[in-house]
Amino acid sequence: MNFIEQIIEEDIQNGKNDAKVHTRFPPEPNGYLHIGHAKSICLNFGMAKKYGGLTNLRFDDTNPVKEDTEYVDSIREDIKWLGFQWAEEHYASDYFDQLYMWAEQLIQEGLAYVDDQTQEEISKGRGVPTAPGVESPYRNRTVEENLDLFRRMRAGEFPDGSKVLRAKIDMASPNMHFRDPIMYRILHAHHHRTGDKWCIYPMYDYAHGQSDSIEGITHSICTLEFEVHRPLYDWFCEALRIHHPQQIEFARLNMTYTIMSKRKLLQLVKENYVNGWDDPRMPTICGLRRRGYTPASLRNFAETVGVAKRDNIIDVSLLEFCVREDLNKTAIRTMAVLDPVKLIIDNYPEDQEEEMIAVNNPEDPEAGTRTVPFAKELWIERADFRENADKKFYRLSIDREVRLKYAYIIKCTHIVKDDAGNITEIHCTYDPMTKSGMPESNRKVKATIHWASVKHAKKAHIRLFDRLFSVPDPDNCEEGQTFLDHLNPNSLVEQDGWIEPTLTLEKAMEIKHFQFERLGYFYADPDSTEDMLVFNKTVSLKQ
Ligand code: ATP
Ligand code: MG
């Protein structure tokens, strides 16, 4: 049991909140969700589900400048794709009227004031944690004056940045967030939902707890950096005498070879370092989806990572392990040759063709079989042949035998090279008695290789990915560097390969996840057309 479950179970036992559990996932619609958000989603929905409760989706849209409905739509899609359904959908902006009334209430009670100082003066006055701050000269305005000024702020009488509303708490508190935090700022900006109704906007600390409270949230789970905000979260709920949810903090998810900041991910997109938010190299949920990650693999990853109280960094190989494990159970097997060289079976009749029976998924008997055409000329992987093979190389070499998967045992006789010395043809003979069902079918050879019939195979476009960054912690920069200096210039390699002809566009789009035998897991990309299927490599078969 993790520490969050411990808190929740204790609350249930004590009958707190009528022993109910109600969580929320509160994204700011200013970017696409990433794997860190997936962790938070799994946690919030997971806790509610475990204790028979509900989870709300709340868009934390208090910052009109950076927000957009494009992001709202993508967030909704990603949560559903992960396999979760929220009970209620809300927007912090729906609470603007209520929040405004509460602000007037705090002014009436002498707990908030309008400050005319500039941003610099305010932060200077806050001082440093080790010494008390300085009170604003406007701190002791009368209730009447504060109410009048606040109403005129709302009415649009003052320019941006000329005034703020601050809570009147304690300028000497060792917690800097307690030194008269800003509740409202003036911002003449169009909001994607409220339009031009407002020209003052609440700050995160003033909006978040109250939004939780309004929705009857019981446990408000957030990341560790909000721990120092918790006293303020509590203060507003107490001062307003409203339902008081409990904020609980856990360590945010960090992962090697990638970044998690929406601002930086946006920069990668805007400045074309990647091909959009759903570029398969991105740590975004839509990027991982296009890479071929499955919802189950991401949920399993979140579960395996668990919840921590201290910041840490998770190795990306754990994520890869999770998707491998899931796809091994479900992905349909296919033969594809990505770096082809021609194999010619000299003793195979010129015009003969056979249909070889191939297993769709050895892990799942119900997935059945298919047939793959076989003929005299085949493509095999260049790496499966070696001219000067030592004892440790078990695959094809002159005078050695291998099995062609689902077909025959062959023996290499000679090779043909071009003027530059590149191998252009590998010649071999086959043993007809070694086909499955034939007397020699059980004969043991040291290796089995995959193939595609030259006459039948279909060309496909393959995208291979490496890590987006070349160092484990791209945010760790030397002076004068930024995370951009750590981008891996070879993170995308595109090439053409040969795949089984049975794979039509319709079938590829329906099945989506494939294991290219011996090569790895691949995902049929939406860029595919009737003429050319496009596959993204999800992950290799082994680490
Ligand atoms: P960024 O700083 O990149 O903009 P954010 O934390 O501001 O991210 P929000 O949209 O506010 O993004 O996040 C919504 C929820 O997801 C919050 O509760 C936040 O704590 C959580 N979250 C964000 N990033 C992570 C992460 N890396 N690990 C776990 N939870 C996260
Ligand atoms: Mg945030």
Side-chain angles (χ1 to χ4, degrees):
M1 187 162 54
N2 67 48
F3 72 94
I4 298 180
E5 291 166 331
Q6 253 162 24
I7 295 173
I8 294 178
E9 291 195 9
E10 217 175 283
D11 287 347
I12 291 174
Q13 261 157 31
N14 294 334
K16 195 175 167 187
N17 306 307
D18 300 327
K20 287 205 182 81
V21 175
H22 203 141
T23 59
R24 86 287 172 263
F25 175 65
E28 187 179 352
N30 63 350
Y32 282 66
L33 298 181
H34 51 59
I35 180 80
H37 295 112
K39 165 77 217 168
S40 173
I41 291 166
C42 291
L43 186 58
N44 277 295
F45 282 88
M47 288 297 102
K49 191 170 174 209
K50 176 163 182 184
Y51 296 106
L54 299 170
T55 305
N56 289 358
L57 169 59
R58 178 180 346 99
F59 291 99
D60 187 6
D61 57 348
T62 53
N63 190 358
V65 190
K66 293 185 188 156
E67 293 159 4
D68 199 273
T69 43
E70 175 198 346
Y71 301 132
V72 170
D73 295 340
S74 76
I75 288 168
R76 302 174 87 239
E77 186 190 347
D78 287 348
I79 299 172
K80 278 194 216 156
W81 178 77
L82 273 176
F84 298 107
Q85 184 53 59
W86 50 95
E88 303 161 22
E89 179 172 321
H90 295 293
Y91 294 79
S93 55
D94 291 342
Y95 309 136
F96 281 173
D97 284 296
Q98 176 68 71
L99 291 168
Y100 178 86
M101 286 192 290
W102 277 334
E104 285 208 355
Q105 180 186 325
L106 292 177
I107 293 173
Q108 300 271 16
E109 296 182 13
L111 293 174
Y113 63 97
V114 173
D115 195 344
D116 296 1
Q117 292 185 106
T118 63
Q119 195 51 246
E120 294 82 67
E121 288 167 334
I122 289 175
S123 51
K124 199 157 162 243
R126 283 223 172 91
V128 292
T130 46
V134 180
E135 291 187 0
S136 164
Y138 305 97
R139 196 174 198 259
N140 294 313
R141 279 175 158 154
T142 62
V143 167
E144 289 68 34
E145 193 182 359
N146 279 323
L147 260 187
D148 175 60
L149 287 171
F150 187 52
R151 286 173 183 168
R152 287 164 60 197
M153 276 169 66
R154 177 189 184 167
E157 285 189 28
F158 308 116
D160 289 0
S162 60
K163 286 180 175 28
V164 292
L165 184 73
R166 295 177 75 176
K168 194 172 182 176
I169 308 182
D170 181 3
M171 289 304 288
S173 171
N175 183 338
M176 298 299 283
H177 297 282
F178 249 40
R179 295 188 182 180
D180 293 8
I182 295 172
M183 295 164 56
Y184 274 92
R185 66 211 156 116
I186 302 173
L187 198 63
H188 291 266
H190 188 83
H191 187 281
H192 72 108
R193 280 177 69 87
T194 57
D196 297 314
K197 179 175 174 190
W198 296 91
C199 61
I200 56 171
Y201 289 94
M203 304 298 289
Y204 173 89
D205 281 321
Y206 181 65
H208 198 88
Q210 285 87 309
S211 302
D212 284 345
S213 179
I214 291 168
E215 293 174 21
I217 300 304
T218 56
H219 301 86
S220 175
I221 301 169
C222 63
T223 44
L224 224 48
E225 68 270 24
F226 291 101
E227 192 169 15
V228 285
H229 296 245
R230 181 165 16 109
L232 191 54
Y233 185 108
D234 295 340
W235 189 89
F236 280 122
C237 288
E238 295 303 317
L240 292 167
R241 297 177 293 278
I242 56 178
H243 164 67
H244 188 161
Q246 180 175 1
Q247 180 180 304
I248 306 170
E249 309 86 14
F250 73 102
R252 67 170 41 228
L253 174 75
N254 300 302
M255 208 165 61
T256 54
Y257 296 99
T258 194
I259 50 167
M260 288 294 182
S261 145
K262 273 190 278 187
R263 182 179 57 79
K264 289 176 185 167
L265 294 173
L266 178 66
Q267 193 180 352
L268 291 178
V269 173
K270 284 263 154 77
E271 296 175 15
N272 297 315
Y273 291 104
V274 294
N275 303 314
W277 284 99
D278 66 347
D279 186 304
R281 292 167 292 178
M282 291 279 271
T284 48
I285 295 179
C286 56
L288 291 164
R289 175 162 66 229
R290 196 163 178 181
R291 178 78 173 251
Y293 275 78
T294 56
S297 67
L298 297 186
R299 291 195 303 262
N300 188 27
F301 172 73
E303 179 75 21
T304 309
V305 164
V307 287
K309 261 278 176 200
R310 299 254 307 275
D311 274 315
N312 57 2
I313 179 155
I314 303 293
D315 201 310
V316 66
S317 60
L318 179 63
L319 184 63
E320 293 168 349
F321 171 82
C322 290
V323 75
R324 219 178 258 129
E325 206 181 44
D326 187 37
L327 290 177
N328 181 43
K329 286 183 275 181
T330 56
I332 293 298
R333 274 54 169 174
T334 295
M335 289 198 287
V337 177
L338 301 192
D339 183 17
V341 62
K342 198 178 269 184
L343 178 84
I344 301 168
I345 309 171
D346 290 322
N347 63 338
Y348 195 86
E350 194 75 40
D351 297 323
Q352 184 167 318
E353 285 177 20
E354 289 178 80
E355 292 289 337
M356 299 302 182
I357 296 167
V359 176
N360 284 334
N361 184 354
E363 304 288 322
D364 176 13
E366 289 188 8
T369 59
R370 66 188 186 286
T371 56
V372 187
F374 184 89
K376 185 182 179 77
E377 294 194 353
L378 306 171
W379 296 118
I380 64 167
E381 297 287 346
R382 206 163 265 282
D384 283 337
F385 177 85
R386 204 176 280 176
E387 197 176 356
N388 302 307
D390 59 20
K391 283 215 179 90
K392 284 193 197 123
F393 186 81
Y394 291 142
R395 289 164 280 164
L396 203 56
S397 189
I398 291 170
D399 290 333
R400 290 205 199 164
E401 285 189 328
V402 296
R403 174 176 287 282
L404 293 173
K405 187 136 200 192
Y406 308 121
Y408 300 100
I409 291 176
I410 54 160
K411 183 174 196 172
C412 178
T413 53
H414 64 284
I415 56 175
V416 177
K417 291 185 185 176
D418 64 12
D419 293 342
N422 301 312
I423 298 172
T424 53
E425 289 177 2
I426 299 172
H427 287 261
C428 66
T429 57
Y430 86 117
D431 179 350
M433 291 300 158
T434 55
K435 193 179 172 182
S436 114
M438 300 296 280
E440 292 279 311
S441 66
N442 288 329
R443 214 171 89 206
K444 289 269 177 287
V445 286
K446 286 211 169 118
T448 299
I449 65 173
H450 62 275
W451 48 269
S453 161
V454 170
K455 200 191 306 182
H456 302 94
K458 212 162 140 176
K459 204 175 226 180
H461 189 67
I462 315 288
R463 297 176 181 149
L464 304 171
F465 306 103
D466 196 356
R467 312 207 143 134
L468 185 53
F469 293 94
S470 49
V471 295
D473 184 5
D475 279 323
N476 185 7
C477 295
E478 305 206 341
E479 221 179 291
Q481 283 191 323
T482 72
F483 72 105
L484 295 173
D485 293 301
H486 293 139
L487 277 166
N488 173 5
N490 305 313
S491 58
L492 171 63
V493 173
E494 302 202 58
Q495 62 187 57
D496 288 342
W498 295 103
I499 59 163
E500 288 178 18
T502 45
L503 218 52
T504 60
L505 176 65
E506 200 188 349
K507 212 167 146 191
M509 287 299 134
E510 185 200 318
I511 298 173
K512 290 196 179 89
H513 300 276
F514 295 90
Q515 184 196 97
F516 288 180
E517 299 217 31
R518 301 178 59 237
L519 297 177
Y521 295 100
F522 287 77
Y523 181 74
D525 191 88
D527 284 346
S528 297
T529 63
E530 292 284 355
D531 295 333
M532 183 72 99
L533 296 182
V534 179
F535 290 94
N536 300 325
K537 183 167 181 180
T538 310
V539 71
S540 55
L541 286 185
K542 290 201 184 82
Q543 205 178 325

